[in-house]
Every structure is written in C-alpha cells, then in structure tokens.
C-alpha cells in the first residue's frame, strides 16, 4: 500500500530519488579515477587498488535483494532515508580514513548503504505516479544516469588534481555530503509505500547468498587473477556448493509458501538465466576495462588524475548519447538488433583500445577507441534490460530487476578483480592489452548467451516486448509487443 504525495510535490520527490541514484554511480566512477592517488598517499600494496572498487560493489551485490525485501516490509521511504543517512556517514568516514585498510572498510559500509537506497527507487516512483506520468518519471532515469556517468571521471580528476584546501583525493567523498543532505531534505515529500502482504526477510537465504558470493569473488581478488592454486579452487568449489544450496533453499521456501529473496518462477526457462550471465559478463568487462585504463595511464604512463578523467570522458559521453538514442528511438524500431549492434561496436572499441595501448606511452588514439566502447555500451544496455524484463509477469518484475542488479554488481566486482589483476601482473602496456583480450572473451560469451534472449522474444517486426504499467487498481498487465513504448532502463547500470 502507499500514501500518495500531492501532485505538485511528486516531481520534487522524484528529484530526490534521481539524485540518490546519480550519487551512487558518481561515487563509483569518481573513486576509479582517484584510486591511484589514494594508494600513493595512504601506502599499502598496489594489489589493494582494485579493492577500492570491489569493497563497494561486493556488499552492494550481496545485500541488494535483502534491501528490496526490507523496503517491501518496513516501508520503502523509511528504508531509503536510512540508506541515504548511512551513505552520508560512510562518505565522511571515507574522507577521514587514515589508512588504505580503513578506507576499504568504509567503502564496504558505503556499498551496504547503497543496497538500501537503490532497490527502493522504482517502487517509490510507481507509488507516486500513474499512467503516462509513470513512463515520464521512469524515462528520466536514463538521462540522469548518463549525465552522472559523464561527470564522474571528469569530476574525480578535477577534484583530485585541484587539491582543494589540501584535501587531495578526500574531496571525492566530501562531494557526497551536500548531495546526501539535499536528498534527505526532500525525502519527506516521498510517498510511503510497502507491499500489501509483508514478505519474510529470509535471513537464511541472505546468509547463503552472501557466503556464495564471497567464496566466488574472493579468490580472484586475492590470487592475482590466477585460480589454479589449491585454496582458490577450494573456495570456488565451496562457493558453487553454497550457490546450489541457496537455489534449493529458495525452491523449498517457495513450495512451502514462505518468503524468499527471489521468485523461483524466473528460472522456469533458459531466458532469464541467460540474461543473468549477460549482465554479469557485460558489465564486469566494461567496468574492469575502465579500471585498467586508469591504472595504465597513472601507474604505467605517469599521467595525473585529471588526464585520466579527461581520457575517459569520450567513453562516458558516448555511452550517455547512445543510451538516449537507443532508448528513445532505436530499440522501439529495431528491437534486438540494437543489442547485437551495441555488442559488436563495443567489441570493436575494445580491439581499438588494445591497439592504442600497443602504441605505448599515452596514445593519442585511446580517447577515440574509448568513445567507441562507450557507444557500444550505450546501445546495448537499454535493449538488453528491455528484453530481460519484458516477458515477465507483474509479480516477477521487482524480483527480476533486483536480481539483475545484484548479478550486475557481482559481475562488476569479479571484472574489476580479474582484469585489474591481469594488468597488475606486469603494470605495463602488455598487461593492459592482455586485459583487453580477457574483456573480449567475456563479450564473446555474452554474444552466445544473448541468443537465448533473442530466440524466446516474440516481438513484432523486431520490436521489443514492453512491460506495460498496470496503473491504479489493476492486478495484472499484459506483456505484448509495443514498438512505440519507452524501453526500460537499466536498474542501476555502472
């Protein structure tokens, strides 16, 4: 049930939600650019640099589903406000961190707070808006996230390079303070909303999911990207057992009518598991390669943070523009072909990036290659999430979006760990090229897995299957081909 906000206050409340979403993406991209400076000033092994990203994305991935269920049970506005307050305090702690280990620990707290914020956004939007206004509100997520993606690398480089009041890299966390305070000031305008029937929190399922994720992610983080050692293989095997146990626990809970973290009906066909594989590998490859570019520029070539941020700007700009074009015009007309084209364009960009690294030093062609990568990402993402969510029943969409988001963050964590470690084995252009080849291998698997999405999508004339907003008072909605509909945006693309 929900308590509606007055009409004139809805758009101000939406601004709070969009600011919180943008703040989380901004924080991730800012930190990637500033990470080498953090390591230089705080000390510690260079192998700890990928943890500055992974320490955020790992708890974020593990707790996303639990955060969604908590919002269903305790109220989405309440959980959203608690998450923003926690994110504010964790950002202050990051800015004051005295050691690299403390900074990594506070980053983990940030990730846990973000897991409370992000799952509430779509539910709160649907609680405040109806009909065509819902499409307009949801459609605003893509441009805002695109803007955050563009601003993040540049802002990270500018703030770190400017060294405002001697703050150095600490300013990249302090920027969250005014943003968080603005969101908290607007949060009372949000409509409170919760599930009509409060679901269980499933602590056993949450624990199994956390255990499986940690056991599967920690080996590549600790082993330098090589997984042939006995302890690494044992951890991976145990993680697989924990994942199977989690799946069995969810099926058993569903049969007995207990609250579960995921809707088990999502796995009745190969389509949604294929979407999970695509989400993990695609976003893992993209985020991992971004870190490799930053490390090669600052560690391998001696460039400063501002140069690294400006080098990434064409990638972010290309992604933002292509995402808008795909969502507003291309997906409705060409359907799954946009997804295939985006994957091909991104692969071409990664190849060009590897070639640019082969030129050595700070290659002039690198920004152009990264722009191609960004265009490919922007074309792929709206079509992918539309195809992944479109054929689902209304009661499955929330669980599916949360699971896709969680797997996306899991893939991001693994991608940063593996590609970052591949580069750090030599910390030179050869290492950067090897990371590019690994990213291309991941994209090849995405192309294969994506065939399951294309094969099972009914579509009309290649158009996507749009999920219709049921509107007030409707328990069910049809899933039908709707070429002119607004495609769904990524729940939280990084």
């Amino acid at each position: 049930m929900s308590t509606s906000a007055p009409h004139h206050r809805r758009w101000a409340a939406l601004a709070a939600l969009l600011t919180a979403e943008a703040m989380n993406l901004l924080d991730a991209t800012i930190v990637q650019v500033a990470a080498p400076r953090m390591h230089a000033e705080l000390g510690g092994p260079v192998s700890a640099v990928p943890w500055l990203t992974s320490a955020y994305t790992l708890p974020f991935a593990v707790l996303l589903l639990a955060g969604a269920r908590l919002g269903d049970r305790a109220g989405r506005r309440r959980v959203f406000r608690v998450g923003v307050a926690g994110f504010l305090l964790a950002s202050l702690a990051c800015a004051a961190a005295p050691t690299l280990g403390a900074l990594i620990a506070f980053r983990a707290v940030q990730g846990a707070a973000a897991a409370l914020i992000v799952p509430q956004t779509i539910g709160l939007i649907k609680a405040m808006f109806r009909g065509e206004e819902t499409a307009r509100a949801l459609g605003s997520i893509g441009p805002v996230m695109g803007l955050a993606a563009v601003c993040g690398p540049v802002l990270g480089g500018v703030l770190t390079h400017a060294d405002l009041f001697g703050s150095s890299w600490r300013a990249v966390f302090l920027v969250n303070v005014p943003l968080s305070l603005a969101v908290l000031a607007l949060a009372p305008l949000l409509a409170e909303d919760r599930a009509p029937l409060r679901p269980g929190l499933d602590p056993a399922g949450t624990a199994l999911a956390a255990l499986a994720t940690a056991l599967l992610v920690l080996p590549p983080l600790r082993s330098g990207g090589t997984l042939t050692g006995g302890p690494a293989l044992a951890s991976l095997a145990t993680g697989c057992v924990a994942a199977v146990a989690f799946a069995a626990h969810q099926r058993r809970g569903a049969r007995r009518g207990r609250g579960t973290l995921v809707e088990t009906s999502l796995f009745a066909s190969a389509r949604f598991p294929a979407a999970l594989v695509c989400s993990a590998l695609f976003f893992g490859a993209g985020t991992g390669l971004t870190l490799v570019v930053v490390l090669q520029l600052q560690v391998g070539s001696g460039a400063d943070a501002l140069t690294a941020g400006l080098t990434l700007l064409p990638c972010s700009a290309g992604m933002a523009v292509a995402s808008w074009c795909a969502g507003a015009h291309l997906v409705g007309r060409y359907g799954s072909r946009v997804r295939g084209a985006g994957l091909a364009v991104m692969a071409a960009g990664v190849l060009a990036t590897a070639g640019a690294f082969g030129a050595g030093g700070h290659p002039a062609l690198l920004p152009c290659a990264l722009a191609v990568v960004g265009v490919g990402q922007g074309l792929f993402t709206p079509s992918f999430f539309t195809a992944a969510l479109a054929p689902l029943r209304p009661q499955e969409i929330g669980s599916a979006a949360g699971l896709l988001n969680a797997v996306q963050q899991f893939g991001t964590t693994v991608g940063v760990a593996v590609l970052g470690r591949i580069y750090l084995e030599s910390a030179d252009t050869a290492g950067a090229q090897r990371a590019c080849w690994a990213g291309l291998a991941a994209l090849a698997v995405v192309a294969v897995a994506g065939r399951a999405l294309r094969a099972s999508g009914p579509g009309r004339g290649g158009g996507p299957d749009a999920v219709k907003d049921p509107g007030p008072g409707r328990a069910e909605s049809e899933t039908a081909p709707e070429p002119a509909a607004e495609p769904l945006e990524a729940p939280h693309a990084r």
Side-chain angles (χ1 to χ4, degrees):
M1 61 175 58
S2 64
T3 56
S4 298
H7 183 276
H8 66 280
R9 301 169 66 183
R10 294 176 187 173
W11 298 101
L14 177 64
L17 297 175
L18 295 178
T19 300
E21 286 268 359
M23 181 173 62
N24 286 292
L25 177 57
L26 196 67
D27 195 73
T29 53
I30 281 179
V31 169
Q32 280 193 327
V33 172
R37 176 71 70 85
M38 296 173 184
H39 168 261
E41 294 189 8
L42 295 178
V46 69
S47 59
V49 172
W51 276 99
L52 292 169
T53 298
S54 298
Y56 180 93
T57 56
L58 181 56
F60 186 34
V62 169
L63 298 175
L64 263 171
L65 292 174
R69 286 303 198 205
L70 192 61
D72 290 340
R73 183 179 179 87
R76 295 186 176 94
R77 182 178 66 179
R78 179 180 301 173
V79 174
F80 176 83
R81 295 172 76 173
V82 170
V84 174
F87 196 88
L88 169 60
L89 295 176
S91 297
L92 289 170
C94 287
T99 66
L100 193 64
L103 178 56
I104 289 172
F106 295 141
R107 285 284 285 162
V109 177
Q110 268 192 319
L116 297 179
I117 298 171
V118 172
Q120 320 310 328
T121 302
I122 292 179
L124 287 170
I125 288 176
K126 286 185 171 293
M128 294 188 295
F129 296 93
R130 292 292 182 269
E132 293 183 0
E133 282 192 344
T134 304
R136 289 173 56 197
L138 290 173
S140 63
I141 295 177
V144 170
M145 301 308 284
L147 180 62
V150 171
C151 293
V154 177
L155 188 59
V158 169
L159 290 175
T160 303
H161 183 77
D163 192 22
L164 299 173
F165 307 106
S167 60
S168 183
W169 56 266
R170 300 179 192 274
V172 304
F173 295 109
L174 293 176
V175 75
N176 293 329
V177 175
L179 294 176
S180 298
L181 291 175
V183 171
L184 290 173
L186 292 172
L189 302 179
L190 295 168
E192 183 57 284
D193 181 61
R194 58 171 57 88
L197 298 176
R198 296 186 181 183
L201 294 179
D202 194 9
T206 302
L208 283 171
L211 178 64
T213 303
L215 289 171
L216 291 171
V217 169
L218 288 178
L221 279 171
R222 294 184 304 193
S223 65
T226 57
L227 303 175
T228 56
L233 291 177
S235 179
L236 289 173
T238 308
C240 290
V241 171
V244 171
F246 170 75
H249 172 78
Q250 296 297 289
R251 286 196 298 268
R252 186 167 56 251
R255 285 197 304 267
R256 297 179 180 178
R258 296 199 304 261
T260 58
L261 284 179
V262 300
E263 293 285 343
T264 56
S265 59
L266 292 169
F267 299 91
S269 71
R271 182 187 180 102
F272 192 73
L276 295 180
V277 172
C278 291
S279 181
L281 292 177
F282 180 82
F283 292 103
T287 308
L289 286 173
T290 299
L291 177 66
V292 169
V293 170
V294 170
L295 288 174
Q296 171 56 22
L297 289 175
Q298 296 191 56
V299 176
S301 301
D304 57 23
L306 180 60
T307 300
L310 292 175
T311 302
L312 288 175
L313 179 59
C315 181
S316 299
M319 180 171 58
V321 173
S323 178
W324 178 81
C325 290
H329 303 290
L330 300 179
V331 176
R333 177 174 297 181
Y334 300 107
S336 63
R337 284 175 286 180
V338 179
R339 187 169 68 253
L343 198 60
V345 170
M346 183 177 175
V350 175
L351 276 172
T353 300
F357 281 132
H362 179 210
L365 292 179
L366 183 58
C368 299
L370 292 175
V372 177
V373 172
V375 169
Q377 289 177 309
L379 291 174
F380 178 90
T381 303
S383 175
F384 167 71
F385 279 101
T386 298
L389 296 176
L392 305 179
R393 293 176 293 175
Q395 67 269 23
E396 295 173 329
I397 292 175
S399 178
L403 190 56
L404 277 169
N405 217 333
V407 169
Q408 177 185 329
Q409 300 309 317
F410 173 83
T412 295
T413 303
V414 174
V416 166
V418 174
L419 298 189
R421 293 297 183 159
I422 289 174
Y423 169 77
L424 289 172
E425 285 180 351
S426 58
D428 55 17
T429 55
Q433 286 183 307
R434 286 195 294 271
C436 289
W437 306 141
L440 279 173
L443 295 181
V445 178
V446 173
V448 174
R451 294 176 65 87
L453 290 175
R454 186 167 58 250
S456 53
R460 181 175 65 205
D465 299 331
V467 177
K468 295 180 181 180
D469 176 34
R474 290 184 61 187
E476 298 289 337
S477 65
E478 296 178 357
T479 300
E482 212 174 293
E486 177 97 16
L488 293 173
E489 295 290 342
H492 194 260
R494 283 185 181 274

